Amino acid sequence: MKTSPTKPLNPYPKVRGKSRHSRYINILSKIAIAVEPVAQARIAAAIVYKNEIVSIGVNQRKTHPFQAKYSKNEDSIFLHAETDAIKNALKHISLDELSSSVLYICRVKIENGKFVFGLSKPCCGCMRAISNFGINKVYYSLDEKGYTILWV
């Protein structure tokens, strides 16, 4: 009796669709899976300028003066993916280019032994950074599947 090989399970959650927004969220889901969780959160963010990823940020157990400036409270001292992506983008593009960029954020979590999307809406501190740098389009993942846009 011949047995057919079983197809390996894809551990990555995937947004269906072929839009560039889906593509960026799917890329970020793979990055988020690879990072060490901080407070049980695996989050990755990207700054996209003219349809090109110019920087990636991830949540980290690392403090930074940039995060301190935009923390939501005095206990929120670790780098958030959003502020990390903005900080990294400033090394590659101008402030004008940053204000014309789009921010993408993806969170993944484990449910029933597999990775699924989680809600990655920016906190109030990250929203302050997003607003201060003039980024007015933010795409973020929703619980279980898909994403939405936030106009700032």
Side-chain angles (χ1 to χ4, degrees), residues 5-123:
T6 57
K7 186 176 178 184
L9 295 175
N10 183 354
Y12 303 113
K14 190 170 186 182
V15 174
R16 300 215 183 275
K18 297 188 183 212
S19 75
R20 69 179 182 271
H21 310 301
S22 298
R23 188 167 43 99
Y24 296 135
I25 294 292
N26 288 332
I27 290 167
L28 290 173
S29 74
K30 292 175 183 175
I31 294 168
I33 286 169
V35 301
E36 189 68 31
V38 177
Q40 299 180 6
R42 295 173 186 260
I43 304 172
I47 297 290
V48 175
Y49 178 68
K50 291 188 176 180
N51 297 322
E52 226 176 276
I53 295 175
V54 294
S55 74
I56 299 284
V58 295
N59 56 329
Q60 307 173 42
R61 286 193 195 282
K62 177 180 174 185
T63 60
H64 193 280
F66 192 83
Q67 178 62 38
K69 182 176 180 180
Y70 294 107
S71 65
K72 63 183 176 181
N73 59 51
E74 62 188 37
D75 296 325
S76 183
I77 59 171
F78 297 123
L79 266 172
H80 290 199
E82 302 92 318
T83 53
D84 191 32
I86 292 169
K87 174 184 71 64
N88 294 338
L90 291 170
K91 298 172 187 172
H92 304 287
I93 59 176
S94 70
L95 286 172
D96 285 341
E97 291 167 328
L98 183 57
S99 68
S100 298
S101 297
V102 179
L103 175 64
Y104 291 85
I105 313 160
C106 181
R107 177 182 183 174
V108 294
K109 58 186 179 178
I110 299 174
E111 277 187 8
N112 299 322
K114 67 179 189 174
F115 286 104
V116 296
F117 288 109
L119 180 65
S120 61
K121 187 174 182 181
C123 71

